[in-house]
Amino acid sequence: MTSMTAPSPSAIQKLAVALDFPSVAPAFELFERLNGAAGLFKIGPELFLQAGPDAVRRLVDRGAPVFLDMKFHDIPRTVAAAARESARMGVTVFNVHASGGAEMMRAAAEASRAVRPETKIIAVTVLTSLPTTSEEVLRLAAAAHEAGLDGVVASPREMRALRERFGPKFLLVSPAVRPAWAASTHDHQRPASPADAASAGADYIVVGRPITGDADPVAAAARVVEEIQSAL
Ligand code: C5P
């Protein structure tokens, strides 16, 4: 007989499932199946451009904690307007690119908080598909921190240094996570395991294809949560 420990709420809370689908039906279906089994549901450009803000609102209305991952990067006024609209949809968290600059980040945070203070705004440091250095990631994270953002997106490899430098309240979101059983690292240059990302201090661990591409996505998500839990 195999013994399975029940997943802890804190481990479940850390899993952010990337709903990267070309249409809304499978995204909603997966949300319904994983509702309560993950802490965030991430909507990126693929689904957003397909299904639009209505899909986001519908997910929010169904109680989904939504991470709107549009990575805004434009002049401050344009990003502030996009930030305002993101907050209006009631998302839990959305993001901008730290490389857009301090003024852009401050304008976005101000616009978003004026509409919905509880929506978190985080900055992408360096895309995990690109080569970079820890110094560069820390420099961009410091700019986001100074601009008053709630946290950053960074590779799991930088989590520990970011946590040490910016303290327990700075939200750390880590994509580029691959469980050992995942078929491929796909396009990530610096992947780490869910357990490594959790033990390094990530608040949210973003996993897409290892879950969405699995024949049994519910079991795959549970395995990721189990790995996260093993590190807490
Ligand atoms: O399928 P996979 O687990 O690689 O999905 C990772 C998700 O994280 C994708 O939706 C991708 O857009 C996102 N991502 C991100 N920031 C990065 C790298 C990936 O938000 N730096």
Side-chain angles (χ1 to χ4, degrees):
M1 214 174 81
T2 54
S3 74
M4 275 256 306
T5 31
S8 76
S10 57
I12 289 173
Q13 187 56 32
K14 283 187 188 293
L15 174 61
V17 177
L19 297 177
D20 292 330
F21 290 103
S23 68
V24 72
F28 272 73
E29 192 194 313
L30 187 60
F31 164 67
E32 294 297 350
R33 294 180 70 192
L34 290 179
N35 193 1
L40 278 181
F41 292 88
K42 189 173 86 63
I43 296 184
E46 182 178 10
L47 186 59
F48 190 81
L49 292 171
Q50 232 298 311
D54 268 358
V56 177
R57 287 191 206 100
R58 274 171 56 202
L59 274 176
V60 169
D61 286 348
R62 289 188 199 195
V66 171
F67 170 11
L68 185 64
D69 179 24
M70 298 296 282
K71 301 185 177 66
F72 300 123
H73 188 185
D74 208 313
I75 59 172
R77 189 216 155 267
T78 303
V79 171
R84 188 176 307 116
E85 296 310 321
S86 302
R88 269 197 190 128
M89 284 188 280
V91 301
T92 299
V93 52
F94 72 95
N95 57 8
V96 301
H97 267 288
S99 55
E103 192 191 338
M104 188 206 80
M105 288 191 276
R106 270 197 295 272
E110 199 177 305
S112 162
R113 287 172 187 152
V115 171
R116 192 171 184 273
E118 61 270 42
T119 288
K120 305 275 188 220
I121 168 165
I122 61 176
V124 176
T125 53
V126 179
L127 293 171
T128 50
S129 51
L130 297 173
T132 188
T133 60
S134 293
E135 291 72 32
E136 180 65 357
V137 172
L138 281 155
R139 183 186 72 74
L140 288 161
H145 187 258
E146 199 150 307
L149 264 58
D150 297 297
V152 291
V153 182
S155 136
R157 307 263 160 119
E158 274 85 40
M159 286 291 117
R160 203 173 295 280
L162 289 165
R163 182 58 75 214
E164 276 167 18
R165 172 123 171 232
F166 300 108
K169 289 198 181 136
F170 202 52
L171 209 56
L172 298 181
V173 177
S174 173
V177 171
R178 283 292 174 271
W181 45 265
S184 160
T185 59
H186 298 103
D187 33 14
H188 299 296
Q189 298 277 334
R190 292 161 282 138
S193 72
D196 287 345
S199 68
D203 293 297
Y204 287 108
I205 292 162
V206 178
V207 182
R209 289 163 290 184
I211 293 174
T212 57
D214 198 283
D216 186 347
V218 175
R223 285 205 298 275
V224 174
V225 169
E226 219 175 290
E227 283 193 39
I228 293 171
Q229 191 163 332
S230 72
L232 299 183

